[in-house]
Amino acid sequence: MSEKKPTILITDDEQSIRNSLRDILEFEDYNVLEAENGEKVFSILKDHRIDLMLLDIKMRGMDGMEILSKLKSEQYHFPVIMISGHGNIEIAVEATKKGAFDFIEKPPDLNRLLVSVRNALDQHRLTEENKSIKSRLPDVPDIIGESDAIKKIKKTIDKVAQTSSRVMITGENGTGKELVARWVHEKSDRSSGTFVDVNCAAIPADLLESELFGHEKGSFTGATSQRIGKFEQADGGTLFLDEVGDMSPDAQAKVLRALQENAIVRVGGTQKISVDVRVVSATNKDLLEEIETGGFREDLYHRLNVIPIHVPPLRKRRDDIPLLAKDWLERLAQKDIMFSGISFTDEALEELKKQNWSGNVRELQNGIERLGLLAEDSTITQDDVQSLTLSGKKKGDAIEELVDDMDTFQGFKESAERVFLIRKLEENDWNISQTAQAIDIQRSHMYNKMKKYNIER
C-alpha cells in the first residue's frame, strides 16, 4: 500500500505567494491547501488533517503570531514554518518561543524551504510514530522498595523531574538505572514527548556519532539515505545516554557541543538543527577516575552531572529483596499462566535476602523466574532457594569454602578462577563475548579457560 502524501496548509494573504508556494510543493508531490486569513485556517482544520503549515507573519486581521498562539492553545501539534518579508532576530526568537519549527524570510530560497519542510515532516512523523508506540506499551513499572535509599531516590525524582536539569545516574550493572531515568521522564513536563535511549557501550565507536546526530545521504560508505539521529528523535522529550562512560573521545566532544548550543549537525551536513532535549545519563564507571586517566572529559562530566542519583546494589538494601521477588513473580504471572498461583514461604524470602546478588535486580529476576519454573510445588520453599540458586551456597561463602577445601595455593587459585568465571558468565546470561569484554580478557582466552576448567552452561 502506498504511503499517504503529507498535506501542507499555506497561509498567506497574498495570492501570488500562495500560487508560487503551491507550485513548488505540488511539484515535490505534496498535497496543498490554502488559507488567506486566520478564520479560513481554523475552518480548514475542522475538516482536514494537516501535517505542516507555512504561515505568513504579517497578514490582515489575525496575524501569524496570533494564529500560532491559537494553534498551541487548541492543542494542534503539527509543525509550523513561519515566513515573513519583514524578518529580524527578535521576530524569529519570538516565533520559536511560541513553538514555530523554523523561520524563513521572503522571498524564500527554494532549497532552504524544501529542506526545512522535509525536516519538519520527518520530525512530525517520528513524533507521531513514537506516540503511537508509547500508547501501546505498558506503563513504566514502579520503583520497588521501602529502604531509605529507594525512598531518597523517589523523593529526588519528584523534586527534579519538573525542572530541565540534567541528571546523572550511577550504580552497578543491573541495579535499575534505566528505570530511574524513565521515571524522571514520566514525571516531567516532557512525558508526552519521546523517551529515547542509547546504549553507548553497545554501539561501535565509529557508528555512535551517526546514531546520536544522524547523517546525510552519501556522507559515508553505506549512507544510502538520510538518517534522523537520536537527538532529533528526542526533540521535546528525554534522551537517555546509558553507559555514557564508554563514549569515544570524538563523540564526547560533539555531545558537549550539542549541549552547549542546543543544536546538532548531522554527519556529512552543514546545517545546524536546533533541538530541545533533556539529557539523562547513566554509568557504572567511576567517571572521576576516568577523568584522572584521560578517559572522560571533565567539562562534559560537569555538564551531565547536575543532579546526581546513585542507585545502590541489592546487597546494600536487602530488605527490599522480598518486595522485588514478589513483584516480579506477579508480573511473570500476568504474562504466562505457568507462574499463576505460585508464592513464597516466609523462609524462602529470608533465604533470598541472604544471597549477595552481584548481578543485582537483573540477576534476582532471573533467579525468581528459575524458581517459578523449577520449584517442586506451587509454594517456593527455603529448600528450593538453596537448591536452585548457586547450588544452595551464598555467594559470600564461596571463597571461604575454597580456603577450607584447598591445601595448595595453586589449587585455590585455579578453583577461585573457575568460580569467578562461572559467576561472570551467569551475570551476562552466558554470553561469552560480553563476559570477556566485561572482565577485560580476549574472547579466545575465555574459550581456553572454559575448556581448561570444564565450564559448561
Side-chain angles (χ1 to χ4, degrees):
M1 187 173 69
S2 61
E3 188 174 336
K4 184 179 179 295
K5 293 193 294 185
T7 298
I8 299 176
L9 175 59
I10 302 169
T11 303
D12 197 300
D13 58 1
E14 294 184 49
Q15 181 69 52
S16 60
I17 295 294
R18 297 202 303 273
N19 290 342
S20 176
L21 291 173
R22 173 186 280 276
D23 290 341
I24 293 168
L25 296 171
E26 286 185 339
F27 182 78
E28 294 292 321
D29 206 27
Y30 296 116
N31 289 324
V32 177
L33 298 173
E34 295 180 23
E36 65 272 12
N37 54 46
E39 183 178 349
K40 182 68 172 177
V41 165
F42 292 97
S43 174
I44 289 174
L45 291 177
K46 290 177 183 178
D47 302 318
H48 296 84
R49 184 184 183 279
I50 302 300
D51 298 293
L52 170 68
M53 180 185 290
L54 301 180
L55 178 58
D56 188 25
I57 291 181
K58 298 294 184 182
M59 294 191 298
R60 291 182 293 273
M62 189 185 299
D63 68 18
M65 290 299 189
E66 291 173 313
I67 292 173
L68 186 61
S69 297
K70 189 173 180 181
L71 288 171
K72 188 173 183 179
S73 67
E74 294 191 8
Q75 300 296 307
Y76 288 101
H77 298 296
F78 51 78
V80 178
I81 297 174
M82 306 298 288
I83 302 176
S84 176
H86 311 279
N88 57 52
I89 294 297
E90 289 75 20
I91 293 176
V93 169
E94 184 183 357
T96 302
K97 285 182 177 179
K98 288 180 180 289
F101 177 82
D102 202 354
F103 181 94
I104 297 176
E105 293 186 30
K106 289 182 180 178
D109 174 80
L110 176 58
N111 289 330
R112 168 93 164 80
L113 174 68
L114 291 177
V115 167
S116 185
V117 165
R118 281 194 291 268
N119 287 340
L121 289 171
D122 282 346
Q123 180 178 304
H124 182 55
R125 175 179 55 80
L126 285 168
T127 300
E128 292 301 307
E129 286 177 359
N130 282 315
K131 284 181 181 178
S132 176
I133 292 169
K134 188 174 180 179
S135 68
R136 298 194 299 269
L137 291 175
D139 293 335
V140 179
D142 286 335
I143 298 174
I144 303 299
E146 294 297 331
S147 61
D148 289 343
I150 293 300
K151 287 178 180 177
K152 181 180 178 181
I153 288 171
K154 290 180 178 179
K155 186 176 180 180
T156 302
I157 291 172
D158 289 339
K159 195 169 185 178
V160 307
Q162 294 298 324
T163 71
S164 58
S165 299
R166 300 185 188 107
V167 177
M168 178 176 283
I169 307 164
T170 56
E172 296 177 5
N173 284 333
T175 51
K177 298 188 290 294
E178 182 177 347
L179 183 58
V180 172
R182 286 188 177 275
W183 274 113
V184 171
H185 172 74
E186 288 297 322
K187 294 201 170 190
S188 73
D189 292 336
R190 298 171 175 266
S191 59
S192 60
T194 310
F195 179 91
V196 178
D197 62 303
V198 183
N199 188 330
C200 300
I203 302 170
D206 56 343
L207 295 180
L208 183 59
E209 187 181 340
S210 171
E211 189 75 14
L212 291 173
F213 306 113
H215 61 249
E216 299 292 356
K217 181 178 179 181
S219 56
F220 54 85
T221 302
T224 56
S225 61
Q226 185 188 69
R227 178 190 177 101
I228 303 298
K230 299 297 187 183
F231 265 88
E232 283 182 83
Q233 291 177 34
D235 191 39
T238 302
L239 179 64
F240 176 49
L241 298 177
D242 197 8
E243 303 305 347
V244 71
D246 292 286
M247 193 181 291
S248 69
D250 285 346
Q252 289 180 38
K254 291 183 179 178
V255 167
L256 177 64
R257 180 177 296 177
L259 298 181
Q260 289 170 334
E261 300 179 357
N262 293 318
I264 58 101
V265 177
R266 297 194 192 115
V267 177
T270 56
Q271 180 189 0
K272 280 191 177 181
I273 301 168
S274 296
V275 288
D276 173 23
V277 172
R278 182 189 198 166
V279 174
V280 177
S281 56
T283 182
N284 61 0
K285 293 185 173 182
D286 185 335
L287 291 188
L288 292 178
E289 284 188 7
E290 293 292 316
I291 291 168
E292 288 293 324
T293 59
F296 201 81
R297 294 180 63 114
E298 184 174 6
D299 46 4
L300 178 57
Y301 172 78
H302 292 303
R303 286 273 178 180
L304 294 173
N305 190 36
V306 179
I307 306 294
I309 296 179
H310 180 70
V311 186
L314 278 185
R315 63 183 177 274
K316 299 285 188 177
R317 53 183 186 108
R318 294 185 185 276
D319 287 342
D320 287 338
I321 291 175
L323 296 173
L324 287 161
K326 289 188 285 187
D327 174 76
W328 187 245
L329 193 57
E330 289 174 7
R331 287 166 61 185
L332 288 171
Q334 291 171 5
K335 297 178 182 178
D336 193 328
I337 195 171
M338 290 183 67
F339 295 94
S340 296
I342 298 177
S343 60
F344 295 96
T345 65
D346 291 342
E347 292 78 14
L349 293 172
E350 284 300 313
E351 189 66 31
L352 288 172
K353 287 170 62 176
K354 295 176 184 178
Q355 304 288 342
N356 277 340
W357 303 111
S358 59
N360 293 297
V361 177
R362 190 179 299 137
E363 185 189 2
L364 175 65
Q365 290 174 344
N366 291 341
I368 301 310
E369 186 171 351
R370 186 187 314 131
L371 287 165
L373 289 171
L374 301 181
E376 294 293 333
D377 202 350
S378 60
T379 302
I380 298 171
T381 66
Q382 182 179 22
D383 288 342
D384 291 325
V385 175
Q386 289 176 340
S387 63
L388 293 172
T389 56
L390 294 173
S391 302
K393 304 299 182 184
K394 292 187 293 181
K395 292 185 177 180
D397 292 340
I399 297 299
E400 291 182 13
E401 279 197 3
L402 291 179
V403 172
D404 293 335
D405 292 344
M406 296 298 158
D407 296 325
T408 66
F409 176 69
Q410 184 64 27
F412 168 79
K413 187 170 70 170
E414 291 183 354
S415 297
E417 187 172 22
R418 186 177 191 277
V419 169
F420 174 79
L421 292 173
I422 292 173
R423 184 77 47 79
K424 294 305 177 183
L425 283 162
E426 287 177 341
E427 289 176 13
N428 290 281
D429 293 327
W430 288 83
N431 183 313
I432 295 173
S433 297
Q434 189 172 315
T435 304
Q437 183 179 7
I439 64 176
D440 197 26
I441 68 171
Q442 294 182 15
R443 186 171 59 176
S444 58
H445 291 175
M446 188 74 190
Y447 281 114
N448 290 338
K449 288 182 181 297
M450 289 177 68
K451 184 176 181 180
K452 175 182 178 182
Y453 297 126
N454 193 27
I455 297 173
E456 295 180 356
R457 185 166 187 169

